[in-house]
Amino acid sequence: MHRLYHQPLSPFCRKIRLVLAEKRIEVQLIEEKVWEKNLDFLRLNPAGKVPMLRMNGLILAESSAIFEYLEETVPEPPLLPRGAEARVEARRLMNWFDDKFHHEVTANLLYERVNKKLEGTGYPDSRKIQAGSKNIKYHIDYMGWLLEKRDWLAGNMMTIADFTAAAHFSSLDYVNDIDWLRNKNVKEWYARIKSRPAFRSLLSDQLSGFVPPDHYTDLDF
Amino acid sequence: MHRLYHQPLSPFCRKIRLVLAEKRIEVQLIEEKVWEKNLDFLRLNPAGKVPMLRMNGLILAESSAIFEYLEETVPEPPLLPRGAEARVEARRLMNWFDDKFHHEVTANLLYERVNKKLEGTGYPDSRKIQAGSKNIKYHIDYMGWLLEKRDWLAGNMMTIADFTAAAHFSSLDYVNDIDWLRNKNVKEWYARIKSRPAFRSLLSDQLSGFVPPDHYTDLDF
């Protein structure tokens, strides 16, 4: 069977888990503690990061490269729209969340609260938590604005943009960092995506030492 | 004519400039001082970053999304190989340089030396310069190892992986941060890519207040 090396709350891993599940590709999940710099892992993937996917005799690294590979080799159901114009918008938003949102929000909130504790590298920095809490408001507003005009973030079909955003949101929701009252479009969008079968595996993750809020697994939160 | 909003030494912009030139797509270059947070620019591209490309009535943002759009709409000459296995390797390396190399090297060297001065945000942090100078050695060794077995970084054809790496290297070379004696494969690879017509516009950039070393424009450095 294919193997996905991952960390349960990594949004980059969650994005790939959603893609795999949506395309009905079964994988064995292997938790890799990347901060322990396991030599066997580094030999396979010198970037030392997860997700890493072993599939078809290949070792695949970098989540956006893995996504494009899966989209090319298992095209159904598609997670990129047809037409170059619609595709560039889906990829723009994938990058928006994996770069801008990750840097401004995920790193400040999730990595301060969770990764530092897992890696034993100290306590959360309150200035970063404050910055992340402030920044996420702007992102939720932007998403709400996009969803005024569109059914899904990049247009009228669900795409990798939605999975990428939902991957970040689900990890942040695990540590109760999402204000679901801020924007009804965003809440309604997340409820739709959370109820997909592909989402189930994410909602069943339990991270030792971290208890998610009650609404985390609730489909009618 | 199409318009590319850019910063001369941004490796993300240089990557797209190389792609445009290789595909013979003429653009007008417009320098955008992103740190001034120009409202007209933010309205077009709320991420507030360069490169941003105006083309075919569209506003394109995020360099990897722009690249995929150009590859889909102007397929010749191709910058991704055929076959999913070769494509994932090219995209893995594109991400290696835009994420890992960027974080470990470019941000520590180029941004400390150049961006801080441009933006008026202080002096270079010597610890970051040291970290960047140390990290780049590991990356050059890794590239040298790849080039032992391959003509180009991702295999036997020139791909977006080479342009991405060369974009970072050319910006770092402008501030004389590349030790060309460290690996002969890497030097020979860069000499090959530097002599391509697509590279000319990069080598003619002059950034006020920063003088590149003599070898910067020399094709036989």
Side-chain angles (χ1 to χ4, degrees):
Chain A
M1 201 197 290
H2 312 310
R3 291 179 182 186
L4 184 73
Y5 294 74
H6 83 125
Q7 266 297 305
L9 290 192
S10 154
F12 300 95
C13 297
R14 289 187 157 214
K15 172 175 69 176
I16 295 304
R17 288 165 70 192
L18 290 170
V19 172
L20 289 164
E22 190 74 15
K23 291 181 181 287
R24 295 196 175 76
I25 303 167
E26 281 194 57
V27 290
Q28 183 187 358
L29 290 177
I30 297 172
E31 203 175 318
E32 178 64 36
K33 293 179 176 162
V34 284
W35 58 91
E36 292 181 353
K37 299 187 191 298
N38 177 334
L39 277 181
D40 287 335
F41 182 73
L42 285 171
R43 228 170 269 136
L44 295 175
N45 177 18
K49 295 190 302 183
V50 284
M52 180 184 86
L53 180 62
R54 298 189 79 159
M55 183 172 178
N56 304 335
L58 300 174
I59 290 163
L60 307 176
E62 300 291 342
S63 73
S64 59
I66 296 174
F67 162 66
E68 298 284 350
Y69 176 84
L70 295 171
E71 185 73 3
E72 287 177 357
T73 56
V74 187
E76 292 298 327
L79 292 170
L80 284 174
R82 287 189 182 199
E85 179 175 348
R87 293 163 80 83
V88 75
E89 178 66 355
R91 289 188 176 115
R92 176 184 78 84
L93 287 166
M94 172 173 76
N95 281 287
W96 173 288
F97 288 99
D98 278 346
D99 181 33
K100 188 175 174 70
F101 186 92
H102 173 250
H103 182 70
E104 295 176 354
V105 179
T106 310
N108 283 324
L109 296 176
L110 187 73
Y111 295 178
E112 286 298 315
R113 293 196 205 281
V114 175
N115 296 33
K116 273 187 164 176
K117 191 171 170 187
L118 290 176
E119 297 167 20
T121 49
Y123 296 95
D125 178 336
S126 62
R127 286 165 308 177
K128 291 191 177 178
I129 299 282
Q130 273 175 22
S133 304
K134 190 177 155 205
N135 294 338
I136 194 173
K137 293 178 183 169
Y138 163 75
H139 284 276
I140 290 176
D141 293 348
Y142 178 58
M143 293 165 74
W145 177 76
L146 290 174
L147 292 164
E148 288 282 334
K149 305 170 293 178
R150 301 171 174 178
D151 292 341
W152 298 93
L153 288 174
N156 291 325
M157 71 173 259
M158 190 188 71
T159 68
I160 189 64
D162 300 289
F163 275 180
T164 309
H168 284 269
F169 269 62
S170 68
S171 295
L172 289 163
D173 196 34
Y174 190 99
V175 289
N176 210 3
D177 266 324
I178 308 280
D179 173 7
W180 291 114
L181 298 177
R182 188 166 178 90
N183 188 295
K184 68 172 176 34
N185 294 341
V186 173
K187 186 178 177 186
E188 189 271 329
W189 161 83
Y190 190 68
R192 265 188 290 149
I193 204 161
K194 190 177 179 178
S195 64
R196 296 187 81 79
F199 229 81
R200 274 181 214 145
S201 133
L202 270 52
L203 298 180
S204 67
D205 281 341
Q206 288 290 342
L207 197 66
S208 166
F210 298 90
V211 179
D214 287 342
H215 72 254
Y216 176 71
T217 53
D218 187 353
L219 298 185
D220 298 311
F221 61 109
Chain B
M1 200 197 287
H2 313 311
R3 291 178 182 186
L4 183 73
Y5 294 73
H6 83 125
Q7 267 296 305
L9 291 191
S10 154
F12 300 95
C13 297
R14 288 186 158 216
K15 172 175 69 176
I16 296 303
R17 288 165 70 192
L18 289 171
V19 171
L20 290 165
E22 190 74 16
K23 292 181 180 287
R24 295 197 175 75
I25 304 166
E26 280 194 55
V27 290
Q28 182 187 0
L29 290 177
I30 297 172
E31 203 176 319
E32 178 64 37
K33 293 178 176 164
V34 284
W35 58 91
E36 292 182 354
K37 299 187 190 299
N38 177 333
L39 277 180
D40 287 335
F41 182 74
L42 285 171
R43 228 169 269 135
L44 295 174
N45 177 16
K49 296 190 301 183
V50 284
M52 180 183 86
L53 180 62
R54 298 191 77 160
M55 184 174 179
N56 305 334
L58 301 174
I59 289 163
L60 307 176
E62 300 292 341
S63 73
S64 58
I66 296 173
F67 162 66
E68 298 284 351
Y69 176 83
L70 294 171
E71 185 73 3
E72 287 176 358
T73 55
V74 186
E76 293 298 327
L79 291 170
L80 284 174
R82 287 188 182 200
E85 180 176 347
R87 293 163 79 83
V88 75
E89 178 66 355
R91 287 187 176 116
R92 177 183 77 84
L93 287 166
M94 173 173 76
N95 281 288
W96 173 288
F97 288 99
D98 278 346
D99 181 34
K100 188 175 174 69
F101 186 91
H102 174 250
H103 181 71
E104 293 176 355
V105 179
T106 310
N108 283 325
L109 295 176
L110 187 72
Y111 295 179
E112 287 297 313
R113 292 196 205 281
V114 175
N115 295 33
K116 274 188 166 176
K117 191 170 168 187
L118 289 176
E119 298 168 19
T121 49
Y123 295 96
D125 178 336
S126 62
R127 286 165 308 177
K128 291 191 176 177
I129 299 281
Q130 273 175 21
S133 303
K134 189 177 155 205
N135 294 339
I136 195 174
K137 293 179 183 169
Y138 162 74
H139 284 276
I140 290 177
D141 293 348
Y142 178 57
M143 293 165 74
W145 177 78
L146 291 174
L147 293 165
E148 287 282 334
K149 305 171 291 178
R150 301 170 174 179
D151 291 341
W152 297 94
L153 288 174
N156 290 325
M157 71 174 259
M158 190 188 71
T159 68
I160 189 65
D162 300 289
F163 276 179
T164 310
H168 284 269
F169 269 61
S170 68
S171 295
L172 290 163
D173 196 34
Y174 190 99
V175 288
N176 210 4
D177 265 325
I178 308 281
D179 173 8
W180 291 114
L181 298 176
R182 187 165 179 92
N183 189 295
K184 68 172 175 37
N185 295 341
V186 173
K187 186 178 176 187
E188 190 271 329
W189 160 84
Y190 190 67
R192 264 189 291 149
I193 205 162
K194 190 178 180 178
S195 63
R196 296 186 82 79
F199 229 80
R200 276 184 212 142
S201 130
L202 271 53
L203 298 180
S204 67
D205 281 342
Q206 288 290 342
L207 198 64
S208 166
F210 298 91
V211 179
D214 287 341
H215 71 256
Y216 176 72
T217 51
D218 187 354
L219 298 184
D220 299 310
F221 60 108

